[in-house]
Amino acid sequence: MADLERSFADERVGSLLAFGAGRSYGDAALNSGGGSVLMGRLDRFLEFDAASGSLVAESGATFADIVDCFLPRGYMAPVAPGTGFATLGGGLANDVHGKNHHHAASLGQHLAWFDLRLPGGELRRVEPERDAALFQATVGGVGLTGIVERLCLRLQPVPSNAVLVRKRRIADLERYLAAFEEERDRADYVVGWIDALATGRKLGRGILEAASPAAESVPSTPRKARRVPIDLPDFALNALAVRAFNQLYFERVPAGGTEQRVAYRDFLFPLDAIRDWNRIYGKRGFHQFQCVVPFASGERALAGMLALTSKSGQGSFLAVIKAMGQAGLGYLSFPRPGYTLALDFPNAPGAREFIAQLERIAVEHGGRTYLAKDSTLSPANLRAMYPDLGKFQAVLAEIDPRGRMNSDLARRLGLKESRR
Ligand SMILES: Cc1cc2nc3c(=O)[nH]c(=O)nc-3n(C[C@H](O)[C@H](O)[C@H](O)COP(=O)(O)OP(=O)(O)OC[C@H]3O[C@@H](n4cnc5c(N)ncnc54)[C@H](O)[C@@H]3O)c2cc1C
């Protein structure tokens, strides 16, 4: 903590930004030419009240730390993103959501308070009701209001270390959206994998996973992480290879579906079991596009995006779809009621231009893309997608008149530049 205070006092450092675990896909955690404050070592759990489930933690603790430490005691993080490596501070700054968003909303809704080191160096306890504007600017505020040192999160009591997961094949997009409706009140967690290369009558086919806490635990076995040993060559991800992978993946679940108890960790963080999974995209890496579009026009928007993707030859095999619930509390929170679609694209020639077309469809339908995943958005589209940007900027103008906090994302998107 003392080092953190010194960083704020030292003017030679220039601009500052917290760096959590670097699990954002784009430039949200980068601050070229300025100072990065590495939060990973501020990772202690400080207090826990079993009656209320309130956990006070330092912001560098991770979601996996909560699973490791509290699941054996019968508590679980109310919301967890798809990787346990993410820190709680990083989760707060992106107001992360999990596979249970329709049921539990996003992280901001589960915070009692957080301690924020403001850009001027002062430490302030921020509560949602007593300091509403600063709370709303910081939750989902991509680190630009200061550095969260510790936070109080309400954990969920759970009956076991596992969830009961039902998997079934879904034939097309229309049935997908109907299945989300069916599962909304039935399952705590609902998420779908989509075959983004399927066309015609199969457009939007995939595998739906619906899960709820299991009454009984599964034996806890240490997780053996596998590793992608090399950067794969470009041809490994051409459209033909992805099409073959998608066919196999679809057929892996029998036509009648499956039901199985699965440990929370394996269900919530599947990619964490494959170290360096990003190397399958080769040395040039990849972009992820994630949008949410309102329910009313969602089917048309998704059909447009999927048709474009399957035609494009831009092979996306990690495609995820789900229905979201309540809007996030932050001015720049991503979640809002609607369907969210996430697609990965190798960073090949034409990928950025292609993603710009998907962004255009999202804007036309009143949707938005997720800053935690973004590497391609334009300042104009940001303004169209985030109508509370002006409120966010008004808070920054008040607490950070000298512009101490900054990031590559903020500079690229003009996040701090108000245009009246
Ligand atoms: C495999 C995978 C799956 C994912 N699945 C999901 C998902 O299902 N849902 C979802 O919402 N997201 C998901 N994400 C995105 C990820 O959860 C977010 O990007 C999250 O913010 C990463 O946390 P981090 O600790 O790595 O933060 P970083 O990426 O290091 O930083 C993210 C932002 O938080 C700020 N920040 C970090 N710590 C602090 C602090 N202490 N105080 C103030 N600001 C801080 C940084 O400045 C930056 O702006 C996924 C990412 C991966 C790699």
Side-chain angles (χ1 to χ4, degrees):
M1 299 286 187
D3 286 349
L4 192 55
E5 247 179 290
R6 269 199 293 278
S7 304
F8 275 89
D10 188 348
E11 293 288 336
R12 289 170 308 174
V13 178
S15 67
L16 284 175
L17 185 73
F19 183 93
R23 253 55 189 191
S24 295
Y25 285 62
D27 47 7
L30 305 181
N31 187 23
S32 306
S36 283
V37 181
L38 307 182
M39 302 306 295
R41 288 175 64 190
L42 272 187
D43 62 351
R44 291 173 302 171
F45 294 132
L46 302 173
E47 282 170 39
F48 180 63
D49 174 19
S52 63
S54 291
L55 168 69
V56 178
E58 290 180 336
S59 63
T62 66
F63 288 89
D65 292 337
I66 293 188
V67 174
D68 289 345
C69 183
F70 288 96
L71 199 54
R73 295 169 168 81
Y75 294 87
M76 184 54 199
V79 165
T83 173
F85 294 121
T87 65
L88 301 179
L92 184 157
N94 272 316
D95 194 15
V96 295
H97 59 276
K99 296 176 171 72
N100 60 349
H101 187 269
H102 65 290
H103 180 74
S106 48
L107 194 72
Q109 270 102 334
H110 301 277
L111 293 171
W113 52 260
F114 52 81
D115 285 343
L116 178 68
R117 180 76 55 186
L118 289 163
E122 173 204 341
L123 189 68
R124 183 165 331 160
R125 177 148 301 180
V126 182
E127 294 173 30
E129 277 90 32
R130 286 186 40 201
D131 214 345
L134 189 53
F135 185 90
Q136 286 170 271
T138 304
V139 169
V142 278
L144 295 175
T145 60
I147 294 186
V148 174
E149 292 191 3
R150 61 176 85 86
L151 48 84
C152 179
L153 177 68
R154 287 179 287 261
L155 302 187
Q156 271 314 108
V158 288
S160 72
N161 71 0
V163 280
L164 189 63
V165 186
R166 287 178 285 115
K167 289 189 190 180
R168 58 179 155 133
R169 290 185 192 176
I170 304 283
D172 58 30
L173 185 61
E174 197 185 333
R175 290 188 178 86
Y176 232 124
L177 305 190
F180 283 132
E181 191 56 33
E182 256 170 60
E183 298 288 356
R184 197 181 52 190
D185 298 323
R186 198 160 67 162
D188 290 13
Y189 298 89
V190 184
V191 66
W193 165 83
I194 260 195
D195 176 354
L197 293 189
T199 53
R201 281 191 297 118
K202 292 181 185 163
L203 185 84
R205 74 169 181 172
I207 304 292
L208 182 89
E209 296 187 11
S212 289
E216 280 172 45
S217 288
V218 291
S220 48
T221 45
R223 206 175 195 194
K224 270 206 203 119
R226 273 172 277 177
R227 185 176 285 275
V228 177
I230 51 161
D231 296 304
L232 293 194
D234 290 351
F235 64 80
L237 276 186
N238 66 24
L240 218 63
V242 175
R243 223 178 275 284
F245 169 88
N246 284 357
Q247 185 67 29
L248 282 175
Y249 197 88
F250 184 74
E251 286 172 359
R252 212 174 49 124
V253 172
T258 61
E259 186 173 272
Q260 199 183 2
R261 265 183 304 146
V262 179
Y264 271 100
R265 187 181 263 265
D266 296 333
F267 176 68
L268 294 178
F269 313 135
L271 275 179
D272 291 359
I274 309 168
R275 294 289 156 104
D276 302 332
W277 58 267
N278 51 306
R279 297 182 85 176
I280 57 175
Y281 290 101
K283 279 209 167 82
R284 282 191 300 205
F286 71 104
H287 299 278
Q288 182 166 112
F289 165 83
Q290 183 174 1
C291 69
V292 56
V293 283
F295 288 122
S297 57
E299 184 168 356
R300 258 185 309 133
L302 296 180
M305 289 177 194
L306 289 170
L308 211 59
T309 304
S310 58
K311 255 203 326 229
S312 73
Q314 303 272 349
S316 174
F317 71 100
L318 288 173
V320 173
I321 185 171
K322 75 170 268 85
M324 300 192 103
Q326 238 180 301
L329 298 179
Y331 295 136
L332 301 186
S333 284
F334 167 71
R336 54 160 296 165
Y339 300 111
T340 178
L341 176 68
L343 300 165
D344 283 357
F345 298 104
N347 181 23
R352 285 175 169 274
E353 294 74 12
F354 178 72
I355 293 170
Q357 293 181 52
L358 300 179
E359 285 164 5
R360 209 167 307 132
I361 299 179
V363 169
E364 278 165 14
H365 290 271
R368 59 172 62 135
T369 56
Y370 190 9
L371 298 182
K373 309 287 180 76
D374 175 58
S375 50
T376 57
L377 200 62
S378 64
N381 276 348
L382 171 86
R383 278 161 217 282
M385 290 173 174
Y386 286 91
D388 286 339
L389 181 63
K391 293 182 187 165
F392 174 72
Q393 291 170 337
V395 174
L396 290 192
E398 200 180 306
I399 60 163
D400 191 16
R402 294 170 55 221
R404 191 80 204 278
M405 307 305 297
N406 217 334
S407 69
D408 288 2
L409 175 88
R411 284 182 280 265
R412 174 167 61 85
L413 294 180
L415 262 177
K416 298 169 57 156
E417 294 151 27
S418 60
R419 291 186 197 157
R420 295 198 184 148

